[in-house]
Amino acid sequence: MGDLLATPPPTHLVYIPASILVGIVIGFLLGRKAGMREGQADFLAKDDDDLL
């Protein structure tokens, strides 16, 4: 049980930010691909009647 609360190894300072960065890049690429597939976003449409 004492090992569970021990300080993490120094490699966590590299692995955790690297995995977060990879996740951000993958999310950006997938989101961009979905956005291109969807076309122009609804909130960018010129004839928005919801604001009237």
Side-chain angles (χ1 to χ4, degrees):
M1 185 70 172
D3 293 335
L4 183 65
L5 299 176
T7 58
T11 54
H12 278 65
L13 295 175
V14 175
Y15 292 139
I16 292 175
S19 62
I20 290 172
L21 185 64
V22 167
I24 289 171
V25 169
I26 290 173
F28 177 77
L29 293 177
L30 290 178
R32 183 174 175 203
K33 186 176 179 181
M36 287 189 291
R37 195 177 332 122
E38 187 68 28
Q40 191 175 11
D42 291 329
F43 62 87
L44 295 176
K46 301 292 183 204
D47 58 346
D48 190 7
D49 294 334
D50 294 338
L51 298 176
L52 297 177

